[in-house]
Amino acid sequence: MISLSLFFTSFFLYFITLAPSITTVDTPEFVSAAYTLGIPHSPGYSLYMLIGHFVTHLPIGDNPAFRMNLLSAVALACTVVLLYHSLLRFVENRWVAVASSLIFASSYYVWTIGIIAEVYALQLMTLAICIRLAVALWNNPMPRYALSLGCAFGIAVAMYPASALFAPGMLAVYVSLKIPWRIRILSGGLAILIFFASLLYFPIRYHANPQVNTVGEFNSQGEFEAVDLSTIDGIIWLLSGRQFQEMFFEQGINVAEPINWFLGNFLGIGVVMGVLGLAFWWGKHRSLLWIWLITCSVYTVFYAVYGADDRQTMFGAVYLLWMIPLAVGFEDVILPLKWRNQIVALISLPLIFILVNFSHVNLREDNRIPDYAEVLMNELPRDAVVFGNWRDVMPLYYFQVVENRRLDLELYNLFLFGHDAERIKSVTDNLITQGKVVVFLNNSVPSGYSTDVLFFQVDPFTKEMAIHQIIR
């Protein structure tokens, strides 16, 4: 009954704030790729594409983007339930586990990934399964739990390859429990086998020449050169994130940002409770704490050196892990209180998170991105060749691929030119020589061209006036 109540409460929060269509930078690409069994940017997300393909063709809602948003809501609500069962291992009061799970469900960055078409909600669900099985293994170190954990971890990495950063923590569990080497090897083998099986998606779809493939670059003739995903080198290129290698160590090691994400996600209150929980945990369950610290540290360091704009949501795995000391600290704070005050604390704290974050995350009426793309489609000249950054071009790409609109437009994602201004100039020179109408979105025109303003439109991301220019 408690599990069902947690699921439906969480799902209700996500459903009433669910985005109606495409949002953010990656969602148009993810939906388009899933809809056509395509290959999105590195590291590819094979399992997410397969699940998304099934979901985008369900007779639910009025567009595939809404269906994938709904998938995130269901996955994150399942994560909340799994978290609750894991927390019961660390706290004695089940209502503390309930309240802590609801705090997680309604924390800011976690809530935002449950209402859009992003892989992070399904990543958290698969990692929550791993944590639940790790807890079961710790309580009862039997081979079936060890092997189940290996399978679950393989699925988690297949869903989101960065989940491999949890491997040191998983290994520490096996070592601490003195699981026999035969079982360790078999468990690791199952994880590797499941992950490698998911990689078959890439050569199969690569040879099918899918409509959506953003793994590669445009050359100086404007032809897209896809990375050969039928080779081992191609797969390694994809999984290693080489497509975004310039974003690593772009700002050095930035520790301040993860701290700010924590403060924002947990409203400061959850951070204080988590610190108290760590102190309490140190005194009672030191061996478990070391495993927790190893897992958190590896994941935190990785994203502290990565420069992507949406790192705060990529950090969801650490928010999930933080719930263990938070729940421990929460219980330590409220247990000395009288029972009436305990009830007030258990109800009021999750309610504070919901009330504070609701208006900030609510996307139910948010059609900024599709409306923006609609204006672009209505204003762009027929047979225009359109250049723009990822966030400008991919919404147009979505409408072309999923809704078969404005197929006359030729779209170029400037990111896929490898930031090579000379290459972009070479392509545009050739297009202009052919008499093509070339349009640049958001002041991205290379130097040396004479341009006229084509039209103005408010950029939904920055809220600033975006100037779309046509080369003359």
Side-chain angles (χ1 to χ4, degrees):
M1 182 62 72
I2 291 177
S3 297
L4 282 175
S5 299
L6 274 174
F7 175 84
F8 285 113
T9 300
S10 304
F11 179 74
F12 176 74
L13 288 176
Y14 304 142
F15 185 74
I16 63 174
T17 54
L18 197 71
S21 185
I22 53 174
T23 61
T24 70
V25 178
D26 290 338
T27 61
E29 180 198 10
F30 280 151
V31 179
S32 302
Y35 189 75
T36 59
L37 282 178
I39 305 173
H41 65 268
S42 178
Y45 313 103
S46 55
L47 186 54
Y48 183 49
M49 291 297 100
L50 289 168
I51 296 172
H53 182 70
F54 171 75
V55 170
T56 54
H57 289 83
L58 291 175
I60 301 171
D62 59 1
N63 66 78
F66 173 81
R67 293 166 201 148
M68 283 194 73
N69 296 342
L70 193 62
L71 171 64
S72 293
V74 172
L76 198 55
C78 289
T79 303
V80 174
V81 176
L82 289 162
L83 173 64
Y84 161 72
H85 286 284
S86 296
L87 291 180
L88 289 176
R89 164 65 178 80
F90 299 94
V91 296
E92 297 175 5
N93 189 316
R94 69 170 54 198
W95 298 112
V96 169
V98 169
S100 299
S101 300
L102 288 175
I103 288 170
F104 172 79
S106 56
S107 60
Y108 179 74
Y109 291 123
V110 172
W111 195 336
T112 59
I113 65 176
I115 56 179
I116 62 174
E118 267 285 7
V119 69
Y120 307 128
L122 279 86
Q123 179 208 14
L124 289 185
M125 183 181 73
T126 55
L127 287 178
I129 293 171
C130 291
I131 293 171
R132 180 70 188 90
L133 287 170
V135 168
L137 180 63
W138 193 270
N139 291 338
N140 191 358
M142 296 179 63
R144 72 169 184 268
Y145 289 128
L147 297 177
S148 296
L149 179 55
C151 291
F153 187 60
I155 293 170
V157 179
M159 181 66 70
Y160 188 66
S163 293
L165 296 169
F166 266 52
M170 296 291 107
L171 181 61
V173 170
Y174 287 86
V175 172
S176 296
L177 294 174
K178 296 182 172 57
I179 300 296
W181 275 104
R182 179 177 61 85
I183 300 300
R184 295 187 208 180
I185 293 170
L186 186 56
S187 180
L190 286 170
I192 292 169
L193 181 64
I194 290 170
F195 174 61
F196 277 17
S198 73
L199 298 182
L200 292 173
Y201 176 88
F202 299 118
I204 292 171
R205 294 310 299 159
Y206 171 78
H207 283 297
N209 193 25
Q211 189 174 359
V212 178
N213 184 355
T214 55
V215 180
E217 287 187 350
F218 288 106
N219 61 26
S220 55
Q221 284 74 48
E223 300 166 343
F224 184 72
E225 296 181 343
V227 172
D228 187 349
L229 296 179
S230 63
T231 66
I232 293 176
D233 286 345
I235 297 294
I236 292 173
W237 188 96
L238 178 72
L239 296 176
S240 65
R242 208 172 301 167
Q243 193 168 17
F244 302 99
Q245 63 183 357
E246 73 281 354
M247 293 184 179
F248 286 93
F249 294 99
E250 190 177 28
Q251 302 171 347
I253 300 177
N254 193 334
V255 179
E257 280 197 343
I259 294 173
N260 287 332
W261 301 336
F262 263 86
L263 291 171
N265 191 61
F266 294 111
L267 301 179
I269 307 169
V271 176
V272 173
M273 286 192 176
V275 171
L276 290 173
L278 288 173
F280 180 76
W281 208 3
W282 178 261
K284 288 200 169 183
H285 305 287
R286 198 167 297 182
S287 57
L288 273 172
L289 179 58
W290 278 115
I291 295 172
W292 182 91
L293 285 171
I294 289 169
T295 311
C296 278
S297 298
V298 173
Y299 209 89
T300 302
V301 169
F302 181 84
Y303 284 106
V305 302
Y306 187 43
D309 292 338
D310 57 346
R311 283 179 301 159
Q312 62 271 28
T313 49
M314 295 179 184
F315 218 58
V318 183
Y319 303 143
L320 180 64
L321 286 171
W322 185 254
M323 294 311 301
I324 299 174
L326 187 152
V328 172
F330 191 14
E331 183 176 58
D332 202 34
V333 167
I334 71 165
L335 280 182
L337 302 176
K338 294 180 179 178
W339 68 269
R340 286 193 182 120
N341 292 333
Q342 288 184 14
I343 293 173
V344 170
L346 289 169
I347 294 174
S348 61
L349 198 55
L351 195 58
I352 288 170
F353 274 76
I354 293 170
L355 294 176
V356 169
N357 290 326
F358 184 89
S359 61
H360 295 291
V361 302
N362 187 9
L363 296 179
R364 188 168 184 81
E365 304 296 331
D366 191 336
N367 282 293
R368 288 175 298 164
I369 308 303
D371 287 350
Y372 178 65
E374 188 77 41
V375 171
L376 289 175
M377 288 190 297
N378 291 338
E379 296 288 345
L380 287 167
R382 181 152 190 83
D383 298 320
V385 182
V386 183
F387 289 79
N389 296 313
W390 202 292
R391 67 183 191 181
D392 299 304
V393 169
M394 294 316 292
L396 294 176
Y397 202 58
Y398 167 83
F399 281 108
Q400 276 193 340
V401 171
V402 176
E403 299 189 4
N404 293 315
R405 298 176 62 188
R406 289 306 307 264
L407 301 181
D408 59 293
L409 298 175
E410 190 175 345
L411 305 175
Y412 284 93
N413 185 339
L414 290 172
F415 180 86
L416 299 180
F417 281 89
H419 306 287
D420 189 335
E422 289 301 317
R423 201 185 309 171
I424 298 168
K425 187 100 168 30
S426 173
V427 172
T428 50
D429 281 343
N430 185 44
L431 290 167
I432 292 167
T433 302
Q434 297 174 34
K436 297 278 190 179
V437 178
V438 179
V439 178
F440 279 84
L441 306 178
N442 283 326
N443 293 321
S444 54
V445 185
S447 60
Y449 282 120
S450 174
T451 63
D452 290 339
V453 173
L454 179 61
F455 58 92
F456 293 85
Q457 173 68 16
V458 175
D459 187 321
F461 296 95
T462 64
K463 307 292 187 181
E464 297 174 352
M465 188 68 75
I467 303 173
H468 307 293
Q469 297 174 306
I470 183 168
I471 291 177
R472 299 295 186 188

